Amino acid sequence: MAFTHFKLDVDGDGIALVTWDSPGRSMNVIDLKVIEELAAIVEQVAADAAIKGAVITSGKETFSAGADLTLLEGLGRIFTDLAKSKGPEAAATALFQESRKLSLLYRRLETCGKPWAAAINGAALGGGFELVLACHHRVAAQNPRTRLGLPEVKVGLFPGAGGTTRIARMLPPGDALQFLLKGDQHPVDRLKAMKLIDAVVPAADLVKSAKDWVKANPKAKAPWDQDGYRLPGGPVYSKAGMMVFPPANAIYRRETYDNYPAAHAIMQVVYEGLLVPVDTALRIESRWFAKILRSPEAAAMMRTLFVSLQEINKGARRPAAVPASKLRRIGIIGAGFMGASVGYVTAAAGLEVVLVDRDQASADKGKAVSQKLIGDQVNKGRASAAERDALLGRITPTADYAALKDCDLVIEAVFEDRNVKAETIKKAQAAMRPDVVLGSNTSTLPITSLATELADQSRFIGIHFFSPVEKMMLVEIILGKATGDAALATALDFVRAIRKTPIVVNDARGFYTSRVVGTYLREGHLMLTEGVPPAMIENVGRMAGMPVGPLSLNDEVAVDLAWKILKATEADLGGKAIDPRQKVLLAEMVERRGRFGRKNGKGFYDYPDKGAKKLWPGLADLALRKLDPDTIDINELKLRLLGIQALETARCFEENVLTDVREADVGSILGFGFAPFSGGTLSYIDMMGTKRFVALCEMLAKKHGARFAPSKLLVEMAGKGESFYGRFGPKRQAAA
């Protein structure tokens, strides 16, 4: 058989070197053809008496990025189609058989009677790492940047090609559960300490080391296939087992609130699998994997956090006719914490940075932010002293706007004040080359109006970063009415260069992310005024799937900022645009109590010098009435907190602030942490169904006010039985 994805060479000692090098791909990815070819190679190794064993490695810089999730996404659609045509039982059987092909292949490799060693020359993730685990010996090239792991849980899945079963037999159950449920990517030295990797050697010795082991171990077997094998943590029903699984279950529920079917499956597969022989455990794993593939949560998370995320990162919204930008030096005006942090991620990406502020001392202070951030990385062993020095050498702090003359892109990140920004834009324009794009890092001020300060408004665009910049992966690109394609392409090229994810929105008050997250904060405020206990509001926010409750989030973004936005909204749009109950609450918090949030140590929470933050006891006095907690419908609170955000996103889509369903969902998860299990705000509506969602909105509007009234578009879609992805998804757009 001729191989496309693999090269097979047998040396004089009878050791087969299997080199995985898929053509036309930057990384090796598992698809049906890869499975077919690897299966043939396994059988050839097993059947050929001249072959004593095999080493599998990669012909690329990385070992494998894992399975092609679009393939798994397609399996879910196949199930749906088969269920309609042949019934649910036949569909479930077909899905089970298809989805366990890789698991059966890896088990065949493991039991073929010949030793297999993995020579890991770069990152191995997901199904790629499961292949590594199925080998009898694992040796990795020494490289501090290499990461290995099983991140499937982060896209709504779990390791279903034997990874869950093998990890549970290689690590004590508590460690195994943590490894699987966190889905982290680990350096090779850490995995060697965990005994998931057997050896770490210089890259030049990698294949030789693996071959030497194969020659020395002609009858190798996996530990669980050997006589006398004992589970690392002992039997499930033992004193040690009972000290793991009950508390692990409690921790799992505390962390996930049972919102993630894949995490539930991991708990179940590990527990059940440790009670039975390995082949039965693998079958259990496969059954749960097929079940999870059918879940709406997995479908939504795979679509948003893998397929859509990849498409966006690869330039789905970039104007194709505009040539690639040649970005070398970036000017950043405003060396405060936000501008300085943008400077840090820009320099970390290898670009030169000119950091401008009102005086040299302020500019130097901004560079010091980068010094601290990279210093922390050095202290943690994640960067070298040489990398630190190189990064800092790329940042030039200055008070002279003339230093912007050689910049290929300029971003202003000064104080969020129209007059300050207008003056900054004028100064920048005088110093910049006439063809250079000017971006504004604003979260509230309309881009179209700010652009009037620029002679060529087509070169002006919003580039909204999220704090902390070095951790937050989203950047919101805002198009003014006059913004040109060249400005959009340049902004997207810059965001890609600094390894962030962009979404593109049209200019409007609050844009997309600030506008929608404002509804989450407001709902928390209104619940407080209604008499819902503050702790219940916060806990329900997390139960619904948000990273923090609305009161905690408001403290982080600043309570006085929420107050300023409310007053500005009322001034611009009138009293009907705001809720008077929220106005009273925020006025009390900010004007009368001086509680501005975390930044001054007192907001909805108190922030003591020592110890954890605690809800401010005085909140009880701000409620208009007090409710008996036992009479409050927890599910309704969750629906209010998520529903209002989804509804506002639908309004943004209807108003053309958003134009791409993928960006709505990706932006909602990466930007403000909207319940990831739902796949994002519009996927939340699609998962519920527009008809049910409209009925929910109508019920909530009747009980809680017109802010929940469904939009015209939603009512129309509900009447036609349409979904957002069905009507506006990228495939439908491409066909139009």
Side-chain angles (χ1 to χ4, degrees):
M1 177 180 179
F3 301 118
T4 301
H5 296 274
F6 297 92
K7 182 180 179 182
L8 179 63
D9 294 302
V10 182
D11 65 16
D13 294 319
I15 309 301
L17 179 63
V18 182
T19 304
W20 186 1
D21 193 359
S22 295
R25 287 184 179 267
S26 59
M27 290 191 291
N28 293 320
V29 176
I30 300 165
D31 58 20
L32 289 175
K33 184 64 175 176
V34 167
I35 294 173
E36 178 187 342
E37 289 188 10
L38 183 56
I41 290 171
V42 170
E43 294 306 325
Q44 185 173 336
V45 169
D48 191 339
I51 298 178
K52 308 304 181 185
V55 171
I56 185 165
T57 192
S58 169
K60 302 183 186 296
E61 291 184 359
T62 58
F63 186 82
S64 172
D68 182 353
L69 292 191
T70 56
L71 172 66
L72 296 179
E73 189 188 32
L75 286 178
R77 292 195 296 270
I78 289 171
F79 170 81
T80 302
D81 294 340
L82 280 174
K84 291 178 181 177
S85 61
K86 297 187 177 181
E89 186 174 339
T93 299
L95 182 63
F96 172 69
Q97 292 171 344
E98 286 297 314
S99 64
R100 74 180 311 222
K101 281 183 175 178
L102 193 58
S103 179
L104 292 173
L105 168 58
Y106 289 171
R107 182 57 174 158
R108 173 60 179 149
L109 179 152
E110 189 174 56
T111 60
C112 73
K114 303 284 181 70
W116 279 76
I120 312 158
N121 60 321
L125 302 172
F129 189 55
E130 288 181 286
L131 171 57
V132 167
L133 294 175
C135 290
H136 304 100
H137 185 73
R138 294 163 287 279
V139 55
Q142 180 65 64
N143 184 339
R145 297 186 182 279
T146 295
R147 292 295 181 268
L148 312 175
L150 298 169
E152 287 91 337
V153 72
K154 295 183 177 181
V155 290
L157 297 171
F158 74 95
T164 305
T165 296
R166 291 186 177 90
I167 287 290
R169 281 165 164 73
M170 298 172 78
L171 298 176
D175 294 340
L177 288 171
Q178 187 175 47
F179 189 95
L180 295 163
L181 289 167
K182 283 191 171 183
D184 290 340
Q185 300 175 25
H186 305 272
V188 293
D189 289 338
R190 174 167 171 74
L191 291 191
K192 183 176 183 297
M194 298 171 71
K195 298 183 179 179
L196 296 179
I197 295 295
D198 298 301
V200 179
V201 301
D205 300 331
L206 180 64
V207 172
K208 180 181 182 301
S209 176
K211 283 188 171 184
D212 287 345
W213 183 90
V214 171
K215 283 187 283 188
N217 295 271
K219 297 183 179 180
K221 289 184 178 181
W224 38 89
D225 290 324
Q226 298 175 21
D227 293 337
Y229 168 72
R230 293 178 179 271
L231 295 172
V236 171
Y237 289 110
S238 65
K239 183 182 291 185
M242 288 302 99
M243 292 178 68
V244 171
F245 286 97
N249 187 55
I251 293 170
Y252 150 75
R253 292 186 181 278
R254 182 192 71 192
E255 296 298 320
T256 70
Y257 293 98
D258 220 14
N259 285 322
Y260 295 86
H264 177 95
I266 287 171
M267 295 288 295
Q268 201 73 32
V269 170
V270 171
Y271 176 77
E272 292 182 19
L274 291 177
L275 296 172
V276 296
V278 65
D279 285 302
T280 305
L282 288 168
R283 190 172 183 84
I284 290 170
E285 180 186 297
S286 294
R287 290 200 177 281
W288 275 98
F289 189 69
K291 177 181 175 65
I292 295 305
L293 272 180
R294 303 199 307 267
S295 70
E297 291 86 356
M301 290 180 73
M302 275 194 289
R303 180 175 63 197
T304 297
L305 295 175
F306 180 77
V307 179
S308 295
L309 187 62
Q310 278 201 338
E311 291 170 350
I312 290 171
N313 284 335
K314 289 178 179 178
R317 291 296 307 278
R318 190 187 187 283
V322 180
S325 309
K326 297 179 180 179
L327 300 175
R328 181 180 57 88
R329 179 175 295 176
I330 309 299
I332 299 172
I333 309 172
F337 185 73
M338 201 68 180
S341 298
V342 175
Y344 169 72
V345 299
T346 303
L351 300 173
E352 295 179 18
V353 175
V354 175
L355 191 58
V356 181
D357 212 305
R358 62 181 180 272
D359 53 52
Q360 189 63 44
S362 298
D364 289 340
K365 187 177 179 181
K367 182 173 179 177
V369 171
S370 290
Q371 189 163 7
K372 181 183 184 306
L373 289 170
I374 187 62
D376 291 342
Q377 295 299 303
V378 173
N379 293 337
K380 294 174 182 176
R382 297 174 182 170
S384 66
E387 288 172 325
R388 174 198 62 203
D389 295 343
L391 184 151
L392 293 174
R394 289 192 285 270
I395 302 175
T396 303
T398 181
D400 188 0
Y401 274 73
L404 299 174
K405 65 179 180 179
D406 293 326
C407 291
D408 306 306
L409 168 68
V410 175
I411 302 170
E412 69 80 10
V414 298
F415 186 68
E416 194 79 350
D417 178 275
R418 179 179 297 280
N419 293 329
V420 174
K421 286 188 180 290
E423 183 64 26
T424 299
I425 292 167
K426 289 178 182 177
K427 289 182 179 179
Q429 180 175 223
M432 294 162 47
R433 298 197 313 265
D435 62 324
V436 170
V437 172
L438 177 59
S440 175
N441 176 47
T442 177
S443 59
T444 57
L445 299 176
I447 294 300
T448 301
S449 61
L450 288 176
T452 58
E453 306 296 337
L454 207 63
D456 181 0
Q457 295 184 30
S458 70
R459 293 188 293 110
F460 194 78
I461 194 165
I463 306 178
H464 175 207
F465 287 87
F466 295 76
S467 183
V469 177
E470 67 277 7
K471 293 181 180 178
M472 297 294 285
M473 295 308 299
L474 189 74
V475 178
E476 190 175 31
I477 305 296
I478 305 107
L479 301 177
K481 288 184 178 178
T483 301
D485 280 354
L488 173 58
T490 300
L492 290 174
D493 290 346
F494 169 66
V495 173
R496 185 173 187 179
I498 62 173
R499 296 183 286 274
K500 302 287 186 184
T501 295
I503 60 169
V504 181
V505 305
N506 289 317
D507 197 13
R509 177 178 293 273
F511 315 132
Y512 166 48
T513 54
S514 297
R515 172 174 167 178
V516 173
V517 82
T519 65
Y520 179 60
L521 302 183
R522 180 184 64 195
E523 209 58 32
H525 296 160
L526 297 182
M527 288 177 181
L528 186 63
T529 66
E530 293 166 11
V532 179
M536 182 178 285
I537 296 170
E538 296 293 87
N539 287 333
V540 167
R542 292 189 294 270
M543 290 169 66
M546 298 298 292
V548 294
L551 306 181
S552 179
L553 180 58
N554 199 173
D555 272 5
E556 295 297 329
V557 300
V559 183
D560 61 328
L561 176 60
W563 174 231
K564 289 176 184 176
I565 292 172
L566 184 143
K567 288 193 296 182
T569 302
E570 184 179 30
D572 292 347
L573 302 180
K576 291 184 178 180
I578 59 112
D579 193 300
R581 296 169 296 170
Q582 187 185 27
K583 180 179 179 180
V584 170
L585 173 67
L586 291 177
E588 181 70 24
M589 289 285 292
V590 176
E591 301 286 353
R592 298 179 183 84
R593 308 288 184 121
R595 303 190 70 87
F596 300 160
R598 180 184 279 276
K599 67 180 182 181
N600 78 332
K602 53 182 184 177
F604 290 102
Y605 285 78
D606 283 325
Y607 299 87
D609 292 335
K610 295 182 179 180
K613 67 181 184 181
K614 295 182 179 179
L615 281 162
W616 175 44
L619 291 177
D621 301 327
L622 303 185
L624 301 177
R625 56 193 175 118
K626 290 183 172 54
L627 299 177
D628 178 358
D630 291 335
T631 66
I632 298 173
D633 186 338
I634 296 295
N635 189 55
E636 185 175 301
L637 295 183
K638 290 196 290 185
L639 290 170
R640 285 174 62 180
L641 290 172
L642 296 185
I644 196 66
Q645 296 178 77
L647 175 57
E648 195 66 21
T649 301
R651 290 174 179 145
C652 286
F653 204 86
E654 184 170 3
E655 295 167 18
N656 205 42
V657 176
L658 287 164
T659 59
D660 192 311
V661 290
R662 298 170 296 183
E663 292 178 319
D665 280 344
V666 169
S668 67
I669 294 176
L670 298 189
F672 48 90
F674 186 84
F677 69 86
S678 70
T681 43
L682 293 184
S683 284
Y684 176 83
I685 296 173
D686 280 1
M687 189 184 296
M688 186 180 295
T690 49
K691 187 173 183 179
R692 281 184 59 204
F693 185 75
V694 165
L696 168 67
C697 290
E698 290 171 343
M699 181 274 289
L700 292 175
K702 188 174 181 180
K703 292 184 68 174
H704 300 288
R707 67 186 182 279
F708 282 106
S711 65
K712 181 180 178 182
L713 174 63
L714 278 170
V715 173
E716 176 192 325
M717 290 172 63
K720 296 179 179 179
E722 293 178 324
S723 67
F724 276 96
Y725 276 85
R727 178 167 171 174
F728 301 108
K731 290 182 180 178
R732 178 65 60 86
Q733 289 174 350

